Amino acid sequence: MAAAPLKVCIVGSGNWGSAVAKIIGNNVKKLQKFASTVKMWVFEETVNGRKLTDIINNDHENVKYLPGHKLPENVGIDEGPEGLKLISDIIREKMGIDISVLMGANIASEVAAEKFCETTIGSKVMENGLLFKELLQTPNFRITVVDDADTVELCGALKNIVAVGAGFCDGLRCGDNTKAAVIRLGLMEMIAFAKIFCRGQVSTATFLESCGVADLITTCYGGRNRRVAEAFARTGKTIEELEKEMLNGQKLQGPQTSAEVYRILSQKGLTDRFPLFTAVYQICYEGRPVQEMLSCLQSHPEHI
């Protein structure tokens, strides 16, 4: 007897949730392994007097977070006491299910426009990672599956801190050489942090996948964290003010992640080994002058 088709649900409908819904909605039509209807859970908002859920269901477009891209009609409606705690850990504990993670150089609007890009799926159970690859891969969305899931997830969080540092450099008009140094030193700190705090074996090769260096580059040149950090350096407004002004309801990850990372490093007495992460936190939250971003680069240890 044939197995029942696997049901697919998308929780969240921001720009990335909507972009991946476009891929999944089209793929499940072609693959008998998956149920043909995809449920999307949406944070309800009112846009021009209409519920966002009604707009998505009737017009098949997320006009707030991914305007200009039609969704397929089959899509409908921390840090722990012991230190580092990944979102996937929390979901595994609360729901008792296996979790895979997807991270990569995947700006949502470009994915939705079907421009070529790569991504990385990290899975502790390779069979599940390969299932997600089957669900998500297209000719223009190339997927590599690795078993270093915690490192993949950590890359997705830590690169946002580095992107804030890159944005500070842009705001100070430092130039591309300086920004390249931020990216390189930031990558060094990402690798060092993972090796200290990930419980399993960390493969340096994972940082050469899309979730690592590629995502870091695209985020440091095109992401919201870089954009808001540049405005922070130029305007003197707070991160909170700029988030409200510039992001159309989306949330900024870099500053908040820097605060969580700083607390973890402080508990272990390791802040001196991570001067870039530390500088980003102190500039965002403790009034350290943005110009000191440069002194952090000049004094960065050669080996961390």
Side-chain angles (χ1 to χ4, degrees):
M1 205 170 109
L6 299 167
K7 295 179 181 178
V8 181
C9 170
I10 300 167
V11 180
S13 62
N15 59 355
W16 174 246
S18 299
V20 83
K22 184 176 178 182
I23 291 174
I24 291 172
N26 286 324
N27 276 358
V28 297
K29 292 177 186 176
K30 308 169 198 167
L31 300 167
Q32 293 184 336
K33 183 180 289 187
F34 300 99
S36 59
T37 297
V38 176
K39 297 284 181 75
M40 175 187 272
W41 291 81
V42 175
F43 180 79
E44 188 68 277
E45 299 178 70
T46 300
V47 181
N48 297 326
R50 296 174 66 195
K51 288 183 178 179
L52 186 56
T53 48
D54 290 339
I55 296 171
I56 291 172
N57 280 334
N58 295 313
D59 301 348
H60 306 291
E61 182 181 353
N62 189 332
V63 293
K64 180 166 184 182
Y65 295 112
L66 198 70
H69 295 284
K70 287 291 182 181
L71 302 180
E73 293 184 11
N74 55 327
V75 179
I77 295 303
D78 184 280
E79 161 195 353
E82 69 285 352
L84 180 70
K85 200 171 187 74
L86 299 172
I87 293 295
S88 62
D89 293 329
I90 296 169
I91 298 172
R92 279 188 198 97
E93 289 172 14
K94 299 291 184 187
M95 301 189 68
I97 58 175
D98 181 59
I99 298 292
S100 296
V101 295
L102 182 149
M103 301 285 174
N106 308 144
I107 292 173
S109 59
E110 295 181 14
V111 173
E114 299 180 23
K115 296 180 179 178
F116 178 81
C117 65
E118 300 175 311
T119 199
T120 311
I121 289 177
S123 188
K124 295 179 187 292
V125 179
M126 283 299 284
E127 182 184 353
N128 291 342
L130 294 170
L131 183 68
F132 280 115
K133 177 176 180 174
E134 190 176 357
L135 175 66
L136 290 161
Q137 184 157 267
T138 73
N140 287 320
F141 192 59
R142 181 180 177 276
I143 296 172
T144 301
V145 183
V146 301
D147 61 5
D148 197 1
D150 288 351
T151 304
V152 172
E153 185 171 356
L154 207 50
C155 282
L158 297 178
K159 54 98 190 225
N160 290 319
I161 304 177
V162 186
V164 172
F168 290 155
C169 288
D170 287 342
L172 295 170
R173 296 180 172 84
C174 293
D176 285 337
N177 293 335
T178 307
K179 192 149 133 180
V182 169
I183 293 171
R184 186 186 77 80
L185 295 169
L187 182 62
M188 284 176 60
E189 293 195 12
M190 287 169 61
I191 294 170
F193 189 93
K195 287 186 172 179
I196 292 170
F197 291 102
C198 278
R199 288 179 292 279
Q201 186 69 29
V202 171
S203 171
T204 306
T206 303
F207 291 90
L208 299 178
E209 298 289 349
S210 184
C211 63
V213 67
D215 196 11
L216 181 61
I217 290 168
T218 197
T219 307
C220 286
Y221 278 89
R224 72 185 81 155
N225 291 281
R226 186 219 63 81
R227 197 158 42 92
V228 172
E230 178 182 13
F232 178 92
R234 290 189 177 173
T235 67
K237 293 181 180 179
T238 67
I239 292 290
E240 292 76 13
E241 288 171 329
L242 292 167
E243 185 180 60
K244 287 175 186 171
E245 286 178 20
M246 299 175 66
L247 296 187
N248 191 34
Q250 292 177 302
K251 295 298 178 185
L252 203 61
Q253 311 98 323
Q256 184 178 336
T257 304
S258 77
E260 292 162 357
V261 165
Y262 183 78
R263 280 195 292 271
I264 292 169
L265 293 174
S266 296
Q267 287 169 3
K268 303 287 186 183
L270 294 172
T271 55
D272 288 347
R273 289 181 60 185
F274 294 85
L276 192 148
F277 287 175
T278 298
V280 168
Y281 164 74
Q282 291 175 337
I283 291 167
C284 286
Y285 294 109
E286 293 188 348
R288 185 174 177 179
V290 182
Q291 290 77 7
E292 291 195 15
M293 189 74 211
L294 300 179
S295 61
C296 142
L297 302 179
Q298 292 158 348
S299 61
H300 202 285
E302 200 168 317
H303 301 287
I304 59 174

